Amino acid sequence: MRLVQLNVHPLKSAAIRTLDAADVLPGGLRDDRSWMLVDAAGRLVSARELHATYRVVADTPATDPTVAGGLRLRAPGMDDLMVQRPDAEPVAVRLFSLDLKAVPAAAAAQTWVRRALGRDDLRLVWCHDPAARNLQPGFSSPEDHTAFADAFPVTVASLASLRQLNDWITERALQTGEEQPEPLPVERFRANLVVDGEEPFAEDRWRELRVGDVRFRVAKPVSRCVMTTLDPATLTTAKEPTRTLARHRLVDGKTMFAVHLLPLDEGRISVGDEVVAS
């Protein structure tokens, strides 16, 4: 089994940044989901409700060495903006049911995101202290942490499992007389690590994963939300893959695809690294 794709998302729900190599830290891949958008009340604003966030391209030195520091923002019809890591007082933010703290970016960044996304209530915030966040009890240790990822520091998806899912989707379309769809790309699942070389859904049995010289512990399967139905190219939604996952991968009322990981080591991993599961 090999690592075939590495993805970092410096701004939560913004464009995926695909890399050849990445640093693994206790809180996940360097700079992954270290910034997010919130509304006037401090609640997360993601592509679930604001699809256009997919078209914002956010880079840090970890995803583009030409970025001097902080965050560079790009979007259609907008001038690029460099955002330095802020040093203001942290404010209260809410990530789903979690009450966290984050530091608001400078005024120019707030103006930029509001214009780029057409909402006057948006604020851009930075996770200044990922270690302050506790993860889900029963699936993590007290020292485990992450920035603004939904639940755990790292996710891994299998191309073998995706091929099986796409076969199921095609079979369902043929059974119902629907037009045969194009295969869903793995990017729909916004995983950090993409592997290939195992049987479909072998990840259900994994307890630990070694990528190159870096070890990860499997925390739990990933329950999928409506974001998997959003086409990042057209910003339109459809029934798949939720409909087919609900038929084949439903556990306790939740549709499952990919697994969450917790880093056990720090180090650097690269596309092409051997992946060993146990």
Side-chain angles (χ1 to χ4, degrees), residues 110-124:
Q110 312 302 1
T111 299
W112 192 97
V113 297
R114 291 165 185 169
R115 286 185 56 206
L117 294 170
R119 274 186 52 169
D120 292 338
D121 63 333
L122 293 180
R123 287 185 293 162
L124 176 67

Side-chain angles (χ1 to χ4, degrees), residues 124-173:
L124 176 67
V125 298
W126 174 61
C127 183
H128 63 299
D129 187 11
R133 175 182 173 185
N134 294 320
L135 303 183
Q136 187 174 350
F139 297 97
S140 63
S141 301
E143 67 273 14
D144 292 327
H145 60 271
T146 192
F148 295 137
D150 280 4
F152 291 88
V154 178
T155 57
V156 58
S158 159
L159 287 187
S161 301
L162 179 63
R163 287 190 288 270
Q164 177 65 78
L165 173 60
N166 277 316
D167 287 347
W168 285 334
I169 291 172
T170 298
E171 289 171 7
R172 178 67 178 267

